[in-house]
Amino acid sequence: MAAKKLNIKDKYRLLTRDLDWEYSYADRKEAFPYEDFEGIKITDWSKWEDPFRLTMDTYWKYQAEKEKKLYAIFDAFAQNNAHMNVSDPRYVNAIKIFLTGVSPLEYQAYQGFAHTGRQFGGVGARVACQMQSLDELRHVQTQIHAMSHFNKFFDGFQEYSHMHDRVWYLSVPKSFFNDARTAGPFEFMIAIGFSFEYVLTNLLFVPFMSGAAHNGDMATVTFGFSAQSDEARHMTLGLEVIKFLLEQHEDNVEIVQKWIDKWFWRGSRLLTIVAMMMDYMLPNKVMSWKEAWEVYFEEAGGALFKDLARYGIRMPKYSEIIEKEKEHISHQAWWTFYTHGHAAGFHTWIPTDEELDWLSEKYPETFDKYYRPRWELAKEMEAKGERFYTKGLPQLCTTCQIPMLFTEMDDPTQTSYRDTTYNGERYHFCSDGCKDIFEDEPEKFVQSWLPVHQIFQGNCGGPDVGDILSDFYHMNVGTDNMDMKGSPDELRWKQWKGVA
Amino acid sequence: MSKVYIALQDNDESRYIVEAIEEDNPEVTVIHMPAMIRIENEGRLTVNRETVEEKMGRDWDVQELHVNLITLGGNVEEDDDSLSLHWNE
């Protein structure tokens, strides 16, 4: 007779809740030393709910199935030389940003969830964090495997890990995660588990990945959606964490709201680069950044905050600024990279006329008025053989570390700039949001490793920018960087395709 | 009322799951995008095991959904027979 099959609820009780034990000779407070210092009050961990009730045996079964599917596709991709099938070689530059800027974050997430899971006194939360930690490790591994194929045929993939720790624009994602990981376990969960996973990663892993598919990149869409299949579980964990904290004690509400304000602002700043990837780096278009933002932030995030309103939680601070930014940030970011294209680890270019028309159509309020004229000027300069590269190094925001590229949202001709003084030193910011975050935790943010400051202090080699790029960043100057036009990537592509 | 949503990889298994969702939630909007299918509905959406099994012609475990799932929005309730999404308002 076959053994009776346990239902999901009983199985979860036996294989998760029953894994916990009482402490007879050790002090529980010493076993979980980080549970109190953030001011969060937990009265009863047994109230923790995990709606998916995934147990470890089922976890391995489905993860194995996902991996088998994924690696079959990687093999097919490599065996069929499918890098030749991408829409346009310019597209591959978005994948260079992914490998240098995003994949190392998956590794940081793996470390963060392993640490955080260990620090939670409740077994349900511990097991969910352990699974997420394993997922994140799988994500970084599968991304490196997928992109190793591109590394054989395109420049700029070779030193992603080294670059992530040094390059000026890569300090933006790196410092974002460092900030979260050096916070307490509950802030980490609100930062990454809730704000980032529930709302913001969707913008990278759903519309951008659909864009990868639309540009013929079978490997990236496959690892993207395979990672995202874990993400639905992560989103649910993020939502359960916040509901749990808010239900445990009313004193938690104010602390959680402050973290939501901080991390939605930081997250929306970080996603500027995704905005630029969607609007400027996908030759075949799926949707504009603005449209994606409306679906995944305004609609999905709006529904979420309406649901949380019953706990006294409101929309993140500066939501009204964030709403206006969708019209501007992708254009401001790509212009910054275009003008700093000699110092980037990937190629930049002027959008084609068809692409400029698409941007005009998608951004009727702003593109023709503020941004198209810049590209028309860039085209004239390029035609005269004077492709523009700036000579200066940008000033960075002390909090988000992004160059001062954002404008006031009510006056897009005016750079947004704030400053504050702490212990006799002046610190600079791109926005009120970033200034507030600094002023709340100045002792943390005065330690920011700001790449441009480090260059001027002589900590990155040099003295010339070219030396820093090649010796300190390990970029192949003249190969990995500069304009797409005339690049070795473009020449190889033309040879493969047999065009002059 | 806010919309709940679920997105699935556009593949052979998902097609049956989408058919089942459409049958059990006649009000849903199904949006096809490159490589993915997004299904949204006002307030609530349910995936029933029985309906999926009928469409696929084989046994189907609700947790198999994880293999083809891309993203979702809403509070999740799952047991052996169904997975549903809803918002509290």
Side-chain angles (χ1 to χ4, degrees), chain A residues 270-290:
Chain A
L270 178 62
L271 287 187
T272 303
I273 200 153
V274 183
M276 166 187 116
M277 287 156 73
M278 281 202 52
D279 278 347
Y280 286 87
M281 304 182 83
L282 294 178
N284 292 342
K285 313 292 186 188
V286 174
M287 54 170 35
S288 68
W289 171 252
K290 184 181 154 191

mmCIF file with all atom_site columns, all heavy atoms in Angstrom, chain A residues 270-290:
data_model
loop_
_atom_site.group_PDB
_atom_site.id
_atom_site.type_symbol
_atom_site.label_atom_id
_atom_site.label_alt_id
_atom_site.label_comp_id
_atom_site.label_asym_id
_atom_site.label_entity_id
_atom_site.label_seq_id
_atom_site.pdbx_PDB_ins_code
_atom_site.Cartn_x
_atom_site.Cartn_y
_atom_site.Cartn_z
_atom_site.occupancy
_atom_site.B_iso_or_equiv
_atom_site.pdbx_formal_charge
_atom_site.auth_seq_id
_atom_site.auth_comp_id
_atom_site.auth_asym_id
_atom_site.auth_atom_id
_atom_site.pdbx_PDB_model_num
ATOM 1   N N   . LEU A 1 270 ? 18.683 53.789 -8.002  1.00 0.00 ? 270 LEU A N   1
ATOM 2   C CA  . LEU A 1 270 ? 19.458 52.680 -8.577  1.00 0.00 ? 270 LEU A CA  1
ATOM 3   C C   . LEU A 1 270 ? 18.894 52.257 -9.937  1.00 0.00 ? 270 LEU A C   1
ATOM 4   O O   . LEU A 1 270 ? 19.641 51.915 -10.856 1.00 0.00 ? 270 LEU A O   1
ATOM 5   C CB  . LEU A 1 270 ? 19.436 51.493 -7.600  1.00 0.00 ? 270 LEU A CB  1
ATOM 6   C CG  . LEU A 1 270 ? 20.137 50.216 -8.035  1.00 0.00 ? 270 LEU A CG  1
ATOM 7   C CD1 . LEU A 1 270 ? 21.630 50.469 -8.253  1.00 0.00 ? 270 LEU A CD1 1
ATOM 8   C CD2 . LEU A 1 270 ? 19.950 49.117 -6.993  1.00 0.00 ? 270 LEU A CD2 1
ATOM 9   N N   . LEU A 1 271 ? 17.571 52.302 -10.067 1.00 0.00 ? 271 LEU A N   1
ATOM 10  C CA  . LEU A 1 271 ? 16.948 51.827 -11.305 1.00 0.00 ? 271 LEU A CA  1
ATOM 11  C C   . LEU A 1 271 ? 17.134 52.783 -12.480 1.00 0.00 ? 271 LEU A C   1
ATOM 12  O O   . LEU A 1 271 ? 16.734 52.459 -13.601 1.00 0.00 ? 271 LEU A O   1
ATOM 13  C CB  . LEU A 1 271 ? 15.466 51.554 -11.085 1.00 0.00 ? 271 LEU A CB  1
ATOM 14  C CG  . LEU A 1 271 ? 15.147 50.299 -10.272 1.00 0.00 ? 271 LEU A CG  1
ATOM 15  C CD1 . LEU A 1 271 ? 13.655 50.049 -10.277 1.00 0.00 ? 271 LEU A CD1 1
ATOM 16  C CD2 . LEU A 1 271 ? 15.856 49.073 -10.828 1.00 0.00 ? 271 LEU A CD2 1
ATOM 17  N N   . THR A 1 272 ? 17.744 53.940 -12.242 1.00 0.00 ? 272 THR A N   1
ATOM 18  C CA  . THR A 1 272 ? 18.018 54.863 -13.341 1.00 0.00 ? 272 THR A CA  1
ATOM 19  C C   . THR A 1 272 ? 18.746 54.145 -14.475 1.00 0.00 ? 272 THR A C   1
ATOM 20  O O   . THR A 1 272 ? 18.467 54.372 -15.659 1.00 0.00 ? 272 THR A O   1
ATOM 21  C CB  . THR A 1 272 ? 18.886 56.034 -12.836 1.00 0.00 ? 272 THR A CB  1
ATOM 22  O OG1 . THR A 1 272 ? 18.204 56.667 -11.763 1.00 0.00 ? 272 THR A OG1 1
ATOM 23  C CG2 . THR A 1 272 ? 19.156 57.042 -13.938 1.00 0.00 ? 272 THR A CG2 1
ATOM 24  N N   . ILE A 1 273 ? 19.652 53.256 -14.106 1.00 0.00 ? 273 ILE A N   1
ATOM 25  C CA  . ILE A 1 273 ? 20.445 52.584 -15.148 1.00 0.00 ? 273 ILE A CA  1
ATOM 26  C C   . ILE A 1 273 ? 19.579 51.598 -15.939 1.00 0.00 ? 273 ILE A C   1
ATOM 27  O O   . ILE A 1 273 ? 19.778 51.408 -17.142 1.00 0.00 ? 273 ILE A O   1
ATOM 28  C CB  . ILE A 1 273 ? 21.713 51.926 -14.538 1.00 0.00 ? 273 ILE A CB  1
ATOM 29  C CG1 . ILE A 1 273 ? 22.751 51.672 -15.638 1.00 0.00 ? 273 ILE A CG1 1
ATOM 30  C CG2 . ILE A 1 273 ? 21.403 50.656 -13.770 1.00 0.00 ? 273 ILE A CG2 1
ATOM 31  C CD1 . ILE A 1 273 ? 24.173 51.665 -15.167 1.00 0.00 ? 273 ILE A CD1 1
ATOM 32  N N   . VAL A 1 274 ? 18.586 51.012 -15.279 1.00 0.00 ? 274 VAL A N   1
ATOM 33  C CA  . VAL A 1 274 ? 17.670 50.109 -15.983 1.00 0.00 ? 274 VAL A CA  1
ATOM 34  C C   . VAL A 1 274 ? 16.787 50.923 -16.939 1.00 0.00 ? 274 VAL A C   1
ATOM 35  O O   . VAL A 1 274 ? 16.483 50.487 -18.054 1.00 0.00 ? 274 VAL A O   1
ATOM 36  C CB  . VAL A 1 274 ? 16.814 49.300 -14.988 1.00 0.00 ? 274 VAL A CB  1
ATOM 37  C CG1 . VAL A 1 274 ? 15.917 48.326 -15.734 1.00 0.00 ? 274 VAL A CG1 1
ATOM 38  C CG2 . VAL A 1 274 ? 17.699 48.542 -13.999 1.00 0.00 ? 274 VAL A CG2 1
ATOM 39  N N   . ALA A 1 275 ? 16.399 52.121 -16.489 1.00 0.00 ? 275 ALA A N   1
ATOM 40  C CA  . ALA A 1 275 ? 15.604 53.021 -17.340 1.00 0.00 ? 275 ALA A CA  1
ATOM 41  C C   . ALA A 1 275 ? 16.342 53.278 -18.650 1.00 0.00 ? 275 ALA A C   1
ATOM 42  O O   . ALA A 1 275 ? 15.789 53.179 -19.748 1.00 0.00 ? 275 ALA A O   1
ATOM 43  C CB  . ALA A 1 275 ? 15.357 54.336 -16.597 1.00 0.00 ? 275 ALA A CB  1
ATOM 44  N N   . MET A 1 276 ? 17.632 53.577 -18.514 1.00 0.00 ? 276 MET A N   1
ATOM 45  C CA  . MET A 1 276 ? 18.473 53.863 -19.673 1.00 0.00 ? 276 MET A CA  1
ATOM 46  C C   . MET A 1 276 ? 18.638 52.615 -20.549 1.00 0.00 ? 276 MET A C   1
ATOM 47  O O   . MET A 1 276 ? 18.589 52.696 -21.789 1.00 0.00 ? 276 MET A O   1
ATOM 48  C CB  . MET A 1 276 ? 19.815 54.338 -19.123 1.00 0.00 ? 276 MET A CB  1
ATOM 49  C CG  . MET A 1 276 ? 20.942 54.379 -20.063 1.00 0.00 ? 276 MET A CG  1
ATOM 50  S SD  . MET A 1 276 ? 22.450 54.769 -19.130 1.00 0.00 ? 276 MET A SD  1
ATOM 51  C CE  . MET A 1 276 ? 23.348 53.248 -19.395 1.00 0.00 ? 276 MET A CE  1
ATOM 52  N N   . MET A 1 277 ? 18.801 51.452 -19.929 1.00 0.00 ? 277 MET A N   1
ATOM 53  C CA  . MET A 1 277 ? 18.941 50.210 -20.700 1.00 0.00 ? 277 MET A CA  1
ATOM 54  C C   . MET A 1 277 ? 17.676 49.956 -21.520 1.00 0.00 ? 277 MET A C   1
ATOM 55  O O   . MET A 1 277 ? 17.737 49.565 -22.685 1.00 0.00 ? 277 MET A O   1
ATOM 56  C CB  . MET A 1 277 ? 19.211 49.020 -19.758 1.00 0.00 ? 277 MET A CB  1
ATOM 57  C CG  . MET A 1 277 ? 20.622 49.019 -19.178 1.00 0.00 ? 277 MET A CG  1
ATOM 58  S SD  . MET A 1 277 ? 20.760 48.092 -17.612 1.00 0.00 ? 277 MET A SD  1
ATOM 59  C CE  . MET A 1 277 ? 20.653 46.398 -18.178 1.00 0.00 ? 277 MET A CE  1
ATOM 60  N N   . MET A 1 278 ? 16.521 50.202 -20.929 1.00 0.00 ? 278 MET A N   1
ATOM 61  C CA  . MET A 1 278 ? 15.266 49.936 -21.644 1.00 0.00 ? 278 MET A CA  1
ATOM 62  C C   . MET A 1 278 ? 15.019 50.917 -22.778 1.00 0.00 ? 278 MET A C   1
ATOM 63  O O   . MET A 1 278 ? 14.612 50.530 -23.863 1.00 0.00 ? 278 MET A O   1
ATOM 64  C CB  . MET A 1 278 ? 14.088 49.965 -20.670 1.00 0.00 ? 278 MET A CB  1
ATOM 65  C CG  . MET A 1 278 ? 14.027 48.671 -19.902 1.00 0.00 ? 278 MET A CG  1
ATOM 66  S SD  . MET A 1 278 ? 12.435 48.299 -19.220 1.00 0.00 ? 278 MET A SD  1
ATOM 67  C CE  . MET A 1 278 ? 11.337 48.447 -20.586 1.00 0.00 ? 278 MET A CE  1
ATOM 68  N N   . ASP A 1 279 ? 15.261 52.193 -22.533 1.00 0.00 ? 279 ASP A N   1
ATOM 69  C CA  . ASP A 1 279 ? 14.923 53.197 -23.554 1.00 0.00 ? 279 ASP A CA  1
ATOM 70  C C   . ASP A 1 279 ? 15.981 53.330 -24.644 1.00 0.00 ? 279 ASP A C   1
ATOM 71  O O   . ASP A 1 279 ? 15.656 53.690 -25.770 1.00 0.00 ? 279 ASP A O   1
ATOM 72  C CB  . ASP A 1 279 ? 14.705 54.569 -22.895 1.00 0.00 ? 279 ASP A CB  1
ATOM 73  C CG  . ASP A 1 279 ? 13.299 54.708 -22.321 1.00 0.00 ? 279 ASP A CG  1
ATOM 74  O OD1 . ASP A 1 279 ? 12.442 53.860 -22.641 1.00 0.00 ? 279 ASP A OD1 1
ATOM 75  O OD2 . ASP A 1 279 ? 13.061 55.661 -21.557 1.00 0.00 ? 279 ASP A OD2 1
ATOM 76  N N   . TYR A 1 280 ? 17.242 53.075 -24.304 1.00 0.00 ? 280 TYR A N   1
ATOM 77  C CA  . TYR A 1 280 ? 18.315 53.365 -25.269 1.00 0.00 ? 280 TYR A CA  1
ATOM 78  C C   . TYR A 1 280 ? 19.098 52.150 -25.745 1.00 0.00 ? 280 TYR A C   1
ATOM 79  O O   . TYR A 1 280 ? 19.795 52.221 -26.741 1.00 0.00 ? 280 TYR A O   1
ATOM 80  C CB  . TYR A 1 280 ? 19.287 54.385 -24.665 1.00 0.00 ? 280 TYR A CB  1
ATOM 81  C CG  . TYR A 1 280 ? 18.704 55.784 -24.619 1.00 0.00 ? 280 TYR A CG  1
ATOM 82  C CD1 . TYR A 1 280 ? 17.927 56.208 -23.540 1.00 0.00 ? 280 TYR A CD1 1
ATOM 83  C CD2 . TYR A 1 280 ? 18.903 56.680 -25.668 1.00 0.00 ? 280 TYR A CD2 1
ATOM 84  C CE1 . TYR A 1 280 ? 17.371 57.481 -23.510 1.00 0.00 ? 280 TYR A CE1 1
ATOM 85  C CE2 . TYR A 1 280 ? 18.358 57.952 -25.650 1.00 0.00 ? 280 TYR A CE2 1
ATOM 86  C CZ  . TYR A 1 280 ? 17.596 58.347 -24.568 1.00 0.00 ? 280 TYR A CZ  1
ATOM 87  O OH  . TYR A 1 280 ? 17.053 59.600 -24.558 1.00 0.00 ? 280 TYR A OH  1
ATOM 88  N N   . MET A 1 281 ? 19.052 51.024 -25.002 1.00 0.00 ? 281 MET A N   1
ATOM 89  C CA  . MET A 1 281 ? 19.955 49.922 -25.328 1.00 0.00 ? 281 MET A CA  1
ATOM 90  C C   . MET A 1 281 ? 19.252 48.691 -25.897 1.00 0.00 ? 281 MET A C   1
ATOM 91  O O   . MET A 1 281 ? 19.910 47.716 -26.230 1.00 0.00 ? 281 MET A O   1
ATOM 92  C CB  . MET A 1 281 ? 20.797 49.564 -24.101 1.00 0.00 ? 281 MET A CB  1
ATOM 93  C CG  . MET A 1 281 ? 21.568 50.783 -23.576 1.00 0.00 ? 281 MET A CG  1
ATOM 94  S SD  . MET A 1 281 ? 22.626 50.450 -22.172 1.00 0.00 ? 281 MET A SD  1
ATOM 95  C CE  . MET A 1 281 ? 24.097 49.818 -23.006 1.00 0.00 ? 281 MET A CE  1
ATOM 96  N N   . LEU A 1 282 ? 17.934 48.722 -25.987 1.00 0.00 ? 282 LEU A N   1
ATOM 97  C CA  . LEU A 1 282 ? 17.191 47.625 -26.630 1.00 0.00 ? 282 LEU A CA  1
ATOM 98  C C   . LEU A 1 282 ? 16.775 48.104 -28.019 1.00 0.00 ? 282 LEU A C   1
ATOM 99  O O   . LEU A 1 282 ? 15.829 48.869 -28.154 1.00 0.00 ? 282 LEU A O   1
ATOM 100 C CB  . LEU A 1 282 ? 15.938 47.272 -25.828 1.00 0.00 ? 282 LEU A CB  1
ATOM 101 C CG  . LEU A 1 282 ? 16.120 46.668 -24.446 1.00 0.00 ? 282 LEU A CG  1
ATOM 102 C CD1 . LEU A 1 282 ? 14.761 46.421 -23.784 1.00 0.00 ? 282 LEU A CD1 1
ATOM 103 C CD2 . LEU A 1 282 ? 16.913 45.361 -24.505 1.00 0.00 ? 282 LEU A CD2 1
ATOM 104 N N   . PRO A 1 283 ? 17.477 47.645 -29.067 1.00 0.00 ? 283 PRO A N   1
ATOM 105 C CA  . PRO A 1 283 ? 17.125 48.128 -30.414 1.00 0.00 ? 283 PRO A CA  1
ATOM 106 C C   . PRO A 1 283 ? 15.687 47.762 -30.807 1.00 0.00 ? 283 PRO A C   1
ATOM 107 O O   . PRO A 1 283 ? 15.002 48.563 -31.419 1.00 0.00 ? 283 PRO A O   1
ATOM 108 C CB  . PRO A 1 283 ? 18.160 47.448 -31.310 1.00 0.00 ? 283 PRO A CB  1
ATOM 109 C CG  . PRO A 1 283 ? 19.332 47.199 -30.392 1.00 0.00 ? 283 PRO A CG  1
ATOM 110 C CD  . PRO A 1 283 ? 18.721 46.855 -29.066 1.00 0.00 ? 283 PRO A CD  1
ATOM 111 N N   . ASN A 1 284 ? 15.223 46.553 -30.464 1.00 0.00 ? 284 ASN A N   1
ATOM 112 C CA  . ASN A 1 284 ? 13.803 46.236 -30.683 1.00 0.00 ? 284 ASN A CA  1
ATOM 113 C C   . ASN A 1 284 ? 13.058 46.580 -29.404 1.00 0.00 ? 284 ASN A C   1
ATOM 114 O O   . ASN A 1 284 ? 13.386 46.062 -28.334 1.00 0.00 ? 284 ASN A O   1
ATOM 115 C CB  . ASN A 1 284 ? 13.604 44.748 -30.991 1.00 0.00 ? 284 ASN A CB  1
ATOM 116 C CG  . ASN A 1 284 ? 14.188 44.367 -32.338 1.00 0.00 ? 284 ASN A CG  1
ATOM 117 O OD1 . ASN A 1 284 ? 14.449 45.220 -33.180 1.00 0.00 ? 284 ASN A OD1 1
ATOM 118 N ND2 . ASN A 1 284 ? 14.413 43.079 -32.529 1.00 0.00 ? 284 ASN A ND2 1
ATOM 119 N N   . LYS A 1 285 ? 12.057 47.416 -29.517 1.00 0.00 ? 285 LYS A N   1
ATOM 120 C CA  . LYS A 1 285 ? 11.396 47.950 -28.322 1.00 0.00 ? 285 LYS A CA  1
ATOM 121 C C   . LYS A 1 285 ? 10.207 47.099 -27.883 1.00 0.00 ? 285 LYS A C   1
ATOM 122 O O   . LYS A 1 285 ? 9.434  46.646 -28.724 1.00 0.00 ? 285 LYS A O   1
ATOM 123 C CB  . LYS A 1 285 ? 10.870 49.366 -28.606 1.00 0.00 ? 285 LYS A CB  1
ATOM 124 C CG  . LYS A 1 285 ? 11.852 50.297 -29.289 1.00 0.00 ? 285 LYS A CG  1
ATOM 125 C CD  . LYS A 1 285 ? 13.007 50.645 -28.392 1.00 0.00 ? 285 LYS A CD  1
ATOM 126 C CE  . LYS A 1 285 ? 13.909 51.678 -29.028 1.00 0.00 ? 285 LYS A CE  1
ATOM 127 N NZ  . LYS A 1 285 ? 15.132 51.881 -28.234 1.00 0.00 ? 285 LYS A NZ  1
ATOM 128 N N   . VAL A 1 286 ? 10.070 46.935 -26.569 1.00 0.00 ? 286 VAL A N   1
ATOM 129 C CA  . VAL A 1 286 ? 8.876  46.286 -26.022 1.00 0.00 ? 286 VAL A CA  1
ATOM 130 C C   . VAL A 1 286 ? 7.965  47.349 -25.426 1.00 0.00 ? 286 VAL A C   1
ATOM 131 O O   . VAL A 1 286 ? 6.812  47.475 -25.773 1.00 0.00 ? 286 VAL A O   1
ATOM 132 C CB  . VAL A 1 286 ? 9.245  45.242 -24.951 1.00 0.00 ? 286 VAL A CB  1
ATOM 133 C CG1 . VAL A 1 286 ? 7.980  44.693 -24.294 1.00 0.00 ? 286 VAL A CG1 1
ATOM 134 C CG2 . VAL A 1 286 ? 10.021 44.110 -25.572 1.00 0.00 ? 286 VAL A CG2 1
ATOM 135 N N   . MET A 1 287 ? 8.494  48.101 -24.499 1.00 0.00 ? 287 MET A N   1
ATOM 136 C CA  . MET A 1 287 ? 7.758  49.219 -23.905 1.00 0.00 ? 287 MET A CA  1
ATOM 137 C C   . MET A 1 287 ? 8.781  50.225 -23.412 1.00 0.00 ? 287 MET A C   1
ATOM 138 O O   . MET A 1 287 ? 9.948  49.893 -23.224 1.00 0.00 ? 287 MET A O   1
ATOM 139 C CB  . MET A 1 287 ? 6.823  48.745 -22.770 1.00 0.00 ? 287 MET A CB  1
ATOM 140 C CG  . MET A 1 287 ? 7.497  47.939 -21.694 1.00 0.00 ? 287 MET A CG  1
ATOM 141 S SD  . MET A 1 287 ? 6.535  47.588 -20.173 1.00 0.00 ? 287 MET A SD  1
ATOM 142 C CE  . MET A 1 287 ? 4.880  47.381 -20.692 1.00 0.00 ? 287 MET A CE  1
ATOM 143 N N   . SER A 1 288 ? 8.335  51.471 -23.244 1.00 0.00 ? 288 SER A N   1
ATOM 144 C CA  . SER A 1 288 ? 9.265  52.489 -22.758 1.00 0.00 ? 288 SER A CA  1
ATOM 145 C C   . SER A 1 288 ? 9.440  52.325 -21.255 1.00 0.00 ? 288 SER A C   1
ATOM 146 O O   . SER A 1 288 ? 8.639  51.656 -20.588 1.00 0.00 ? 288 SER A O   1
ATOM 147 C CB  . SER A 1 288 ? 8.711  53.878 -23.057 1.00 0.00 ? 288 SER A CB  1
ATOM 148 O OG  . SER A 1 288 ? 7.556  54.107 -22.267 1.00 0.00 ? 288 SER A OG  1
ATOM 149 N N   . TRP A 1 289 ? 10.483 52.977 -20.718 1.00 0.00 ? 289 TRP A N   1
ATOM 150 C CA  . TRP A 1 289 ? 10.689 52.974 -19.275 1.00 0.00 ? 289 TRP A CA  1
ATOM 151 C C   . TRP A 1 289 ? 9.456  53.540 -18.569 1.00 0.00 ? 289 TRP A C   1
ATOM 152 O O   . TRP A 1 289 ? 8.983  52.999 -17.579 1.00 0.00 ? 289 TRP A O   1
ATOM 153 C CB  . TRP A 1 289 ? 11.926 53.794 -18.904 1.00 0.00 ? 289 TRP A CB  1
ATOM 154 C CG  . TRP A 1 289 ? 12.033 53.984 -17.420 1.00 0.00 ? 289 TRP A CG  1
ATOM 155 C CD1 . TRP A 1 289 ? 11.821 55.116 -16.714 1.00 0.00 ? 289 TRP A CD1 1
ATOM 156 C CD2 . TRP A 1 289 ? 12.346 52.964 -16.463 1.00 0.00 ? 289 TRP A CD2 1
ATOM 157 N NE1 . TRP A 1 289 ? 11.978 54.879 -15.373 1.00 0.00 ? 289 TRP A NE1 1
ATOM 158 C CE2 . TRP A 1 289 ? 12.305 53.568 -15.183 1.00 0.00 ? 289 TRP A CE2 1
ATOM 159 C CE3 . TRP A 1 289 ? 12.657 51.592 -16.552 1.00 0.00 ? 289 TRP A CE3 1
ATOM 160 C CZ2 . TRP A 1 289 ? 12.563 52.853 -14.007 1.00 0.00 ? 289 TRP A CZ2 1
ATOM 161 C CZ3 . TRP A 1 289 ? 12.914 50.885 -15.376 1.00 0.00 ? 289 TRP A CZ3 1
ATOM 162 C CH2 . TRP A 1 289 ? 12.875 51.507 -14.138 1.00 0.00 ? 289 TRP A CH2 1
ATOM 163 N N   . LYS A 1 290 ? 8.936  54.620 -19.131 1.00 0.00 ? 290 LYS A N   1
ATOM 164 C CA  . LYS A 1 290 ? 7.780  55.267 -18.517 1.00 0.00 ? 290 LYS A CA  1
ATOM 165 C C   . LYS A 1 290 ? 6.591  54.306 -18.425 1.00 0.00 ? 290 LYS A C   1
ATOM 166 O O   . LYS A 1 290 ? 5.926  54.213 -17.396 1.00 0.00 ? 290 LYS A O   1
ATOM 167 C CB  . LYS A 1 290 ? 7.414  56.497 -19.354 1.00 0.00 ? 290 LYS A CB  1
ATOM 168 C CG  . LYS A 1 290 ? 6.303  57.335 -18.800 1.00 0.00 ? 290 LYS A CG  1
ATOM 169 C CD  . LYS A 1 290 ? 6.022  58.500 -19.754 1.00 0.00 ? 290 LYS A CD  1
ATOM 170 C CE  . LYS A 1 290 ? 4.590  58.958 -19.612 1.00 0.00 ? 290 LYS A CE  1
ATOM 171 N NZ  . LYS A 1 290 ? 4.221  59.876 -20.681 1.00 0.00 ? 290 LYS A NZ  1
#
